[in-house]
Amino acid sequence: MPTWEEFMIPTLRVLSDGAVRTRRDLCPRVAQEASLTEAQTREVLASGQALYENRIGWGLSFLTNIGALSRPARGNYAITDAGRMVLEHFPTGVREQELRALGRDPSSPIRAYEVTAPRIPRDTASTTGVTVETTSMTPTEQVQTGTERIRAEVAGELLARLQGKDPAFFEQAVVKLLVAMGYGGTSGQGSVTQLSNDGGIDGVIDQDVLGLSRVYIQAKRYASDNVVQRPDLQAFVGALSGKADRGVFITTSRFSEGARTYANSVPTRVILIDGSRLADLMIRYRVGVQIRDTYDIVEVDEDFFA
């Protein structure tokens, strides 16, 4: 069975005709392009998903993340100019490391691929498509490493989706997140302010039934390379003046050192949540994500044999 990396070039070949295809339509075509046997197409994971479909899915996710594929609509994929370049330069196969190297080249059309999870050793590919070092890791560690990789992939896609939505959607999303985290008090109240006259405040959450205690929110839907600077924090603190002594500033990008220094120096308590932490919180509190598979890890019950 090809690894998820080995499915990338067949996937690009299938999409090289310029057609937009769904994942369901892609998988059998890629399997045919990769010359899978009938026995290989019948291999399944513990969850019941076909192994080859799972590995193709990892390839689709990675190629989309680096800009070799685009997603014109939900569940649909199309090749990009960057993807055609990859196909031209690596007609027989390409590794993740090679594409990551291209992403670090400013002249390459391939985007840099960034994840917040620990780097995964590349010795052996597991049946989930996650690269793990089976010789030195216990099965439990392999599962944990795989879970971290999945979370990192989902985190990257969450930020990309949020950055692709309009500001109003993002503001509503962060209010939902904070309410899910328990900042809506007993009544779970939260609202987005009017865009035309928000005074630098994008959302308000009542901490009690009467609204005597409130959390004010600023939400900046920035591209990853658009860093939140000190003036943005100063404007937010100014908007809080006379309303509250604390607030939450959330962005899909990151904060400059000057912005963080300023936030720590003013009397107003301002919590900064950058893109990495935002994605982690959304996954933890199940906002914008859903559980796809659940696995049980068992051990011998010592009390049973006592």
Side-chain angles (χ1 to χ4, degrees):
M1 173 72 73
T3 65
W4 72 269
E5 290 175 310
E6 292 169 337
F7 273 119
M8 288 195 287
I9 291 302
T11 298
L12 291 174
R13 285 202 201 101
V14 170
L15 290 170
S16 64
D17 61 359
V20 176
R21 292 190 170 91
T22 64
R23 177 170 171 170
R24 178 177 295 181
D25 181 38
L26 266 173
C27 285
R29 292 173 184 266
V30 174
Q32 184 177 11
E33 180 69 30
S35 301
L36 295 191
T37 65
E38 184 178 349
Q40 286 175 318
T41 61
R42 289 200 300 265
E43 291 185 50
V44 297
L45 299 171
S47 63
Q49 182 186 20
L51 176 58
Y52 83 96
E53 291 182 353
N54 179 272
R55 292 187 176 182
I56 291 172
W58 274 102
L60 287 170
S61 177
F62 184 79
L63 290 170
T64 302
N65 192 296
I66 65 173
L69 295 180
S70 65
R71 190 183 286 112
R74 181 179 179 181
N76 288 261
Y77 298 88
I79 196 169
T80 64
D81 289 340
R84 295 186 187 280
M85 185 274 289
V86 171
L87 191 57
E88 179 182 354
H89 285 75
F90 305 95
T92 60
V94 67
R95 300 293 298 274
E96 178 185 357
Q97 286 179 328
E98 294 170 312
L99 293 176
R100 285 178 179 272
L102 284 176
R104 293 190 291 269
D105 181 359
S107 65
S108 170
I110 294 297
R111 293 198 300 259
Y113 181 80
E114 299 292 341
V115 296
T116 56
R119 189 73 180 93
I120 299 170
R122 302 189 38 79
D123 289 8
T124 310
S126 74
T127 56
T128 62
V130 179
T131 306
V132 294
E133 187 179 7
T134 57
T135 56
S136 62
M137 299 177 69
T138 67
T140 299
E141 289 171 332
Q142 292 179 36
V143 171
Q144 291 173 345
T145 301
T147 301
E148 289 169 353
R149 177 68 179 265
I150 291 170
R151 287 176 67 93
E153 293 282 350
V154 172
E157 185 168 351
L158 275 175
L159 290 179
R161 294 291 186 92
L162 290 173
Q163 289 165 346
K165 290 292 187 177
D166 58 56
F169 179 94
F170 178 56
E171 292 165 7
Q172 188 64 57
V174 299
V175 169
K176 288 181 179 178
L177 171 61
L178 290 173
V179 170
M181 292 171 64
Y183 286 96
T186 57
S187 59
Q189 295 295 314
S191 64
V192 176
T193 62
Q194 294 296 320
L195 293 177
S196 59
N197 187 29
D198 63 11
I201 295 172
D202 296 323
V204 180
I205 294 179
D206 291 333
Q207 286 292 85
D208 58 82
V209 176
L210 297 178
L212 297 175
S213 177
R214 288 182 163 183
V215 175
Y216 289 86
I217 308 162
Q218 175 72 284
K220 290 295 185 183
R221 183 191 55 86
Y222 281 173
S224 299
D225 58 351
N226 191 359
V227 181
V228 177
Q229 303 289 344
R230 175 175 176 144
D232 296 311
L233 268 296
Q234 290 175 320
F236 181 48
V237 172
L240 292 176
S241 179
K243 296 184 179 69
D245 60 358
R246 58 185 174 176
V248 181
F249 198 117
I250 302 178
T251 181
T252 51
S253 61
R254 58 188 177 86
F255 297 94
S256 69
E257 189 60 35
R260 291 187 178 278
T261 299
Y262 175 77
N264 291 329
S265 65
V266 294
T268 304
R269 177 65 169 162
V270 179
I271 302 300
L272 305 183
I273 299 178
D274 60 14
S276 176
R277 188 178 179 193
L278 170 62
D280 178 70
L281 290 172
M282 290 182 70
I283 293 171
R284 185 185 308 175
Y285 291 95
R286 303 292 185 260
V287 176
V289 300
Q290 58 185 354
I291 300 296
R292 189 182 69 180
D293 291 310
T294 301
Y295 300 91
D296 294 326
I297 299 176
V298 299
E299 63 179 2
V300 173
D301 184 354
E302 297 294 345
D303 294 335
F304 179 85
F305 292 96

